Amino acid sequence: MPSVSPEPANTQFKSMESMFNQQTPATSASSSKPVGDDDSKAPLPKGVVLDKDGKPCRTCTSVASWRALTKQADLKSGSANPHSSSTSNTSKMTTSTAAFAAAATPSPSGTPSDCPPDVEELGRSTWTLLHSMAATYPEKATTEHQANMSGFLKFFAKLYPCWVCADDFQTWMAHPSGRNQPKLESRKEFGWWMCEAHNEVNRKLGKKEFDCRFWEERWRTGWKDGRCD
């Protein structure tokens, strides 16, 4: 496994994307599924993922792709009814001015923090939760604790908001060899397993792998150079 020194490792996780930020041919931008009554002739913007009901999945799509989809819909609406376009846009600006003025600072994805998360922001938040759970896992877990965590991971993989991501994680954990089953006997094993799960996604996204020797410094104790103190 390629190694990453502590300094790059620290910056590596600042730009974490969803562990499940994958697209299948059926849900990619080239999908021909209709989004509306007359959308079948217009291809979806690149990166837009459809939900199982055939509609765009917000939590499966990046904010850039979602905005492209929204812009496409606005242009189509304007073309269909050019006389109402100007009035509609003015109305949107008027009703949203107060909301934007009161909005929190933008999130890393470029959207205000009080907006629904896109697939990347959702992924970053999820990794923070999962790694933190590993960092606070018992040094030696009881049978009950192992069963509880095993159950959590099982249902988490089924209920994750991005269905493409959820399917991907379930498939990875269910590898026929059994090699990807959660290692839950101790904090050391679980933390390393979580790091390997994250690296699997890094590989799929073409990103550098994190050196798992440093997972505790990154997620539990803080870096030895004191930057976290």
Side-chain angles (χ1 to χ4, degrees), residues 89-155:
N89 288 337
T90 301
S91 176
K92 287 181 180 179
M93 291 177 64
T94 301
T95 56
S96 63
T97 298
F100 276 117
T105 54
S107 66
S109 65
T111 59
S113 59
D114 58 351
C115 292
D118 71 338
V119 67
E120 296 174 359
E121 184 176 352
L122 178 64
R124 283 190 293 268
S125 300
T126 300
W127 278 122
T128 297
L129 171 65
L130 293 177
H131 283 297
S132 296
M133 290 179 73
T136 55
Y137 196 71
E139 288 189 38
K140 295 294 181 180
T142 63
T143 301
E144 181 182 6
H145 206 115
Q146 293 180 53
N148 288 339
M149 183 58 74
S150 178
F152 166 80
L153 292 172
K154 176 182 178 181
F155 287 109

Side-chain angles (χ1 to χ4, degrees), residues 144-180:
E144 181 182 6
H145 206 115
Q146 293 180 53
N148 288 339
M149 183 58 74
S150 178
F152 166 80
L153 292 172
K154 176 182 178 181
F155 287 109
F156 163 82
K158 291 183 177 180
L159 300 175
Y160 190 76
C162 169
W163 73 270
V164 182
C165 317
D167 285 356
D168 185 63
F169 190 41
Q170 290 179 67
T171 299
W172 180 77
M173 287 200 299
H175 192 280
S177 68
R179 68 188 183 191
N180 297 333

Side-chain angles (χ1 to χ4, degrees), residues 186-206:
S186 66
R187 178 192 298 158
K188 181 178 180 180
E189 282 190 340
F190 185 37
W192 192 281
W193 177 86
M194 191 65 72
C195 181
E196 287 290 352
H198 199 159
N199 274 337
E200 173 66 15
V201 180
N202 287 337
R203 286 189 286 271
K204 289 180 179 179
L205 297 177

